[in-house]
Amino acid sequence: MIYTTSKQIIESISGGGAHSFEKVVYIEYPRKGMWTLGFVTSESTNQTNEEFYHLFVPTTPNPTSGFLLFIKEKDAKILDMTPEEGAKMIISGGMVSSSENSDKNIKK
């Protein structure tokens, strides 16, 4: 049952369709010095042309619940990680992830 549910969630996240996540990012949330994984669902600009990401920040281990955040693009660090890899990390509570916690995965 857990496998089937997890598989369906991962397929919807990484499906590449109109309702899939675009990018995986790190943001400082819920406070400075704490980093959280988020998925970019859309992008927008405000009246002064500042660019924003619309982020879904899922909860662990149930990624079907989470938070919708609007964050300035400059405050997010895009990761060199697929949405599927990000989902695996979230669902596993971090057990299935890179053994390195460094800037290595951040796109330059």
Side-chain angles (χ1 to χ4, degrees):
M1 184 169 128
I2 292 172
Y3 171 77
T4 303
T5 303
S6 298
K7 183 179 178 203
Q8 288 173 338
I9 292 167
I10 289 170
E11 285 174 354
S12 69
I13 290 170
S14 62
H19 299 290
S20 62
F21 298 131
E22 297 176 7
K23 302 171 189 166
V24 182
V25 297
Y26 273 148
I27 60 166
E28 284 190 284
Y29 179 85
R31 65 169 174 81
K32 289 263 186 209
M34 294 182 83
W35 293 89
T36 300
L37 199 72
F39 298 96
V40 177
T41 60
S42 187
E43 299 178 31
S44 64
T45 57
N46 65 8
Q47 296 84 357
T48 61
N49 287 327
E50 289 179 292
E51 296 187 9
F52 285 79
Y53 284 145
H54 305 190
L55 299 181
F56 176 66
V57 178
T59 57
T60 299
N62 178 8
T64 60
S65 67
F67 303 94
L68 175 62
L69 305 175
F70 299 90
I71 186 171
K72 290 181 182 178
E73 185 179 320
K74 66 181 179 110
D75 293 333
K77 297 182 185 283
I78 298 173
L79 298 176
D80 189 17
M81 178 185 295
T82 66
E84 182 178 23
E85 291 169 329
K88 287 179 184 177
M89 184 183 295
I90 296 285
I91 292 167
S92 72
M95 290 184 284
V96 178
S97 64
S98 171
S99 60
E100 293 184 28
N101 185 14
S102 68
D103 287 342
K104 175 184 169 190
N105 290 325
I106 297 174
K107 287 186 178 179
K108 302 291 182 195

